[in-house]
Amino acid sequence: IERLNQIDFRVGKIFRVAGTRTGINFDFYNVLNSNPVLTENATFGPASRTPQSILLPRLFKLNAQFDW
């Protein structure tokens, strides 16, 4: 089984205007788009060691929060 390496990245900025606060965040998960096997078939036979699940692909998320 391959070693699991996943890099996540976040960029955020806070804006303050007239007593209000707005936070904007951009999240980027699995930056390198690695796909190691997480689980594999452990039964004996022709399907032995076939991948059952892998790490999810790249994912982007944009988040905003407004406080007053």
Side-chain angles (χ1 to χ4, degrees), residues 8-42:
D8 300 333
F9 179 71
R10 170 181 266 191
V11 176
K13 177 71 178 162
I14 296 175
F15 300 97
R16 290 186 172 89
V17 178
T20 64
R21 178 181 136 158
T22 303
I24 307 277
N25 294 314
F26 175 73
D27 297 322
F28 187 23
Y29 302 102
N30 197 7
V31 173
L32 300 178
N33 199 24
S34 63
N35 59 352
V37 174
L38 299 178
T39 59
E40 58 185 33
N41 189 352

Side-chain angles (χ1 to χ4, degrees), residues 4 10 25 28 43 50 59 63:
L4 173 64
R10 170 181 266 191
N25 294 314
F28 187 23
T43 60
T50 56
L59 177 68
N63 180 22

